[in-house]
Amino acid sequence: MADKITKTSGGTLVVPDEPIIPFIEGDGIGPDIWKATVRVLDAAVEKSYDGKRKIHWKKVLAGEEAFEKTGEWMPAETMQALRDHLVAMKGPLTTPVGGGIRSLNVLLRQELDLYVCQRPIRYFKGVPSPMWQPEKVNMVIFRENTEDIYAGIEYMTGTVEAKAVIDFLQENMNVKKIRFPETTSVGIKVVSKEGSERLIRSAIQYAIENKLPSVTLVHKGNIMKFTEGAFKNWGYELAEREFPNETYTWNQWEKTKKERGETVANEDMKVASIGGKVIIKDTIADNFLQQALLAPQDYSIIATLNLNGDYISDALAAQVGGIGIAPGANINYQTGHAIFEATHGTAPRFANTNSMNPSSLILSGVMMMEYLGWKEAGERITNALGLAIRNKRVTVDFYNLMEKATLLTTSEFGDEIMRHL
C-alpha cells in the first residue's frame, strides 16, 4: 500500500515498502533523462525485491512547466509536497531571468534547510578522463548548503545599501582597506558555528557508518581566519567532543608526536587509519585542488564551505568524466528531507532530442536508494551502468571520446542498463 516516508522522534527514517516519492522532471533535457531514469529505478527495485517493494512516483511542478501552467516558478503545492513526503527527485531547473528568484535550486535548499550538498565522486572503468589514474579518485563531498555565498548578502556599487555598508565599515569599524569606495560592490560572507558543526557532524557520521578512513576539512583559513579558519577549528573541536572514540584528529596526532619528541609533518596524517578510527585532518583549499590531482587516494570524505564545495565538486567530477556522470543530493539529516538531483544544467538546445547522458540522474537515484536503505537496488544499478560503459555502448558525450564505441540515445542507454540489471 502506498504511503509517505516518515521520520521517528528518535531520528530514524521510516520507509514503507511502497513509498510515495515526488519528482520534478526538470527543464530542457530534464524530461528526456527522467524518462530513462525512472524506468531503470523501477526495474532495479522490481528485480531486487521480487515485487515486494515499489515506488509510487508523484509528479510535482517546478520551473518552466510550472510557470506555463500556474504562473509560478515554484508553486506552494510543490513545496508542501516536498515537505510532506521528505524524499524527492528532480531534474535540472532553469534559473528565471529577471525574476524575483535568484535560483530555484537555492530556493529549495533554503526553504527545506537542506544543509548538506552531498556529491560522491568515483570513476567508472572505461569513462574517458584527462587523468592518468582516475581510478584513484573516490571521494564524497559534503558541501555546506545554506550559508557563505548562498546567504546571498550582496549590494551593488552605486546603491544606497552599498554606500551604507561602506560608510559603516569606514566610520564605525575603522576599516582602511577599501581602496575604491565609490565604485565598490559589497558581499558579506556568513559562516556560523551551528551551520558548520551540523555539516561536519554529518560528514563524520557518514564516514563512521561507511567505514571510510578520513574526513578532510577543506578551507581558506589562512586568509579568512574568522570564517573559514573558524570552520576548521569548530570541526576539530566537534570531533574531539562528540566522537572521541571513533575519530583521531590532527590535534591529537600533533600532541602525541610532540610528547614522543618527534617531528610533526602534514604527511603524517596520510596514513589509512589509526586503530580503526576515522582521521580528521584539514588542508587549505588551493592546496587541496593540487593534491586532488597529484594524490587523490589520500582523501575520502571532504567537508567544506559552500563556495569551496562548488569549485571542488565540479573539478573532481571533471577528473572522472565530467558532471554528466556526477550524482548529487541535498539533505537535512535532522528532519530527513532530501532531494536527489542531476548536477548538470538544463542544456536547452538539446531538449527533446533524446540524446543526452542520463547517468547523473540515474546515479542520484542510486544515492536515493542508499538513503532509503535499499542498497541492493542501488548496487544493481551501479554495476549495470558500469558494464554498459565498459562495453562502450554510450551516449554522445562519451561516444565522441571513445574508440570503437556504439552510439546510443538517452532511452537506448536506459535500455542497455536495464539489460544488465
Side-chain angles (χ1 to χ4, degrees), residues 124-127 325 385-392 394 398 402:
F124 285 86
K125 186 177 180 180
V127 171
I325 198 169
L385 188 147
L387 187 55
I389 293 171
R390 291 196 298 277
N391 289 341
K392 297 187 177 183
V394 293
F398 289 164
M402 289 179 171

Side-chain angles (χ1 to χ4, degrees), residues 244-318:
N245 298 320
E246 297 92 355
T247 64
Y248 200 93
T249 69
W250 168 260
N251 299 338
Q252 292 165 326
W253 181 253
E254 185 178 37
K255 181 181 177 181
T256 300
K257 296 283 280 186
K258 287 181 177 178
E259 287 174 350
R260 294 174 180 171
E262 298 174 2
T263 302
V264 178
N266 287 332
E267 287 73 17
D268 292 335
M269 291 296 280
K270 289 182 179 179
V271 294
S273 65
I274 298 175
K277 293 185 177 183
V278 175
I279 296 171
I280 311 298
K281 54 185 177 176
D282 77 276
T283 187
I284 303 299
D286 46 333
N287 182 56
F288 172 77
L289 288 170
Q290 176 185 219
Q291 293 304 316
L293 293 171
L294 298 176
Q297 69 276 6
D298 291 339
Y299 302 94
S300 178
I301 302 294
I302 305 302
T304 191
L305 290 164
N306 187 277
L307 184 57
N308 294 332
D310 198 6
Y311 298 147
I312 288 168
S313 296
D314 282 11
L316 287 175

Side-chain angles (χ1 to χ4, degrees), residues 13 24 95 104 110 112 129 135 138 144 146 172 215 227 248 325 334 356:
L13 203 68
I24 297 169
T95 297
L104 294 172
Q110 292 186 334
L112 297 173
S129 167
E135 67 278 2
N138 191 0
E144 203 291 319
T146 61
N172 295 74
V215 173
T227 51
Y248 200 93
I325 198 169
Q334 297 169 348
M356 295 291 98

Side-chain angles (χ1 to χ4, degrees), residues 150-168:
Y150 270 11
I153 305 173
E154 286 190 303
Y155 303 107
M156 184 64 184
T157 180
T159 63
V160 173
E161 293 84 0
K163 185 178 186 306
V165 173
I166 292 170
D167 288 347
F168 175 79

